[in-house]
Amino acid sequence: MEPSKIGSSPERVVLLHDYSEALGGASYLVQVLIGELRRRGIATTFIAGDSGARFDRSDVEFLPLHGTALLERSKLSALTCGLYNHRAYAQTRDWIARNDTPGTVYHLHGWSKILTPGIFAALRKVGDRLILHGHDYFNGCPNGAFFDYPRDRDCTLTPLGSACLKSRCDKTSHAQKIWRVGREVLRRGFQQCGAHAARLLMIHPGQEAQFRLSGWTAERLRAVRNPVSPLSADRVPAEANRGIVFIGRISAEKGADLAARAALRSNLPITFVGEGSEIEQVRTCNPDAIFLGRQDRAGVARALSSARVAVMPSRWSEPFGLVALEAVASGVPVVVSDRALVAPEIAQAGFGLAVDTADLDTFAGVLTALHRDNHAVEAMSRAGHADYRSLCNSEETWADEVVSQYRQVLTEASH
């Protein structure tokens, strides 16, 4: 029997996420899922941590919790509320008490910015119908990345083990690490040792090793690759273009400074699309860089239309790399960090190159070579535009796989 035929469709799906608007990859995918669920006629409730000022779907029951992102709070407020958002707990608990049915599925996408571990206390009674989404590693690793920021290397320590507790891996301070450990302890406590959920949906099968380190068992892990839609319907003729584009959060872990330095070293123009706390530091690395700020999909498409190559030089093991595959799908070859889980797949498919982007000589050399080789760039451009779907889902097939998991979870919960 096909997975999509197992069980019956849910009576209702309750989606939970920090943000009610598309501010990044995970929050964008929540919006996609809302649309796909409603297109299938599945009743949907959306519980969002923020005020929901820009959410305007009348076909969705919407519960904004009017919270504030931790980075926008005072240090004291973030320290206390970041451990336990009582409002998120109380309002979600009350909604469940009033509305829960055996046919309701709960799907938690992101909680680390506003909802906090308190959301797991509210969801504890419906754990056998709860699905978590592994957009990051906060459902296992205290700093959410399995990455040692000060040492610039991946982490293979068992989360909350003695070596983990001693490790000074946080990008801000060891005090911040201890606070994050406290959050993970709370999350696991509210989730009965952290595994009280029916599923954790990984966005790439390569995440399994990290989640297994966190105590997740194989039968609770499922890989559902993200959906990707081309930003340009027609192939971008990248072989006729010049210049580099970086799309995403402008921060050290995303390697924005590496992109700026490599572009300067190769004497090539670079455009940054996105926002972040380290724009000025990156501008210092390359005073000629162009910063467009956050753009809608049309704006990102315009930036890609004149690019020769897109870059994703993340310092950590990027679990998927939506921006890279959106570029590939539009016909723009990519140079990605060889740490990214999708990197070997991109290279093997001929959509771009996977290199050690932390090695600036190598990174700059590859960018220079691609600007000299029209034939190679055109081949990558055509291959990516034609075959990008081999590494991802469409929005429709992604939703089909997610709904299949809902059905399976309901079947298991009823036995």
Side-chain angles (χ1 to χ4, degrees), residues 28 203-204 225-236 297 304 320-334 342 345-352 379-398:
Y28 166 71
I203 60 178
H204 190 281
R225 289 179 183 254
N226 282 345
V228 172
S229 298
L231 290 156
S232 172
D234 298 322
R235 181 183 74 87
V236 173
R297 287 181 67 81
L304 280 173
F320 187 73
L322 180 63
V323 294
L325 287 174
E326 284 181 335
V328 163
S330 303
V332 178
V334 294
V342 78
E345 298 171 332
I346 285 176
Q348 184 174 3
F351 302 161
M380 292 177 184
S381 172
R382 292 188 180 279
H385 186 254
D387 299 325
Y388 70 95
R389 190 66 72 207
S390 63
L391 301 185
C392 60
N393 274 300
S394 67
E395 293 181 354
E396 183 176 1
T397 61
W398 177 67

Side-chain angles (χ1 to χ4, degrees), residues 153-219:
R153 66 190 185 195
D154 291 329
C155 175
T156 58
L157 301 177
T158 300
L160 301 192
S162 59
C164 167
L165 297 179
K166 296 174 185 176
S167 176
R168 296 176 175 267
C169 61
D170 197 85
K171 61 183 175 181
T172 302
S173 67
H174 192 54
Q176 175 92 339
K177 164 66 181 291
I178 298 303
W179 178 79
R180 290 186 185 276
V181 164
R183 295 218 303 174
E184 176 62 5
V185 169
L186 284 173
R187 183 194 71 82
R188 295 190 185 199
F190 294 142
Q191 271 203 284
Q192 298 180 359
C193 297
H196 192 55
R199 291 284 191 280
L200 191 154
L201 302 185
M202 304 175 294
I203 60 178
H204 190 281
Q207 290 180 290
E208 182 171 348
Q210 284 83 0
F211 282 121
R212 292 287 296 273
L213 268 179
S214 307
W216 288 91
T217 56
E219 61 267 21

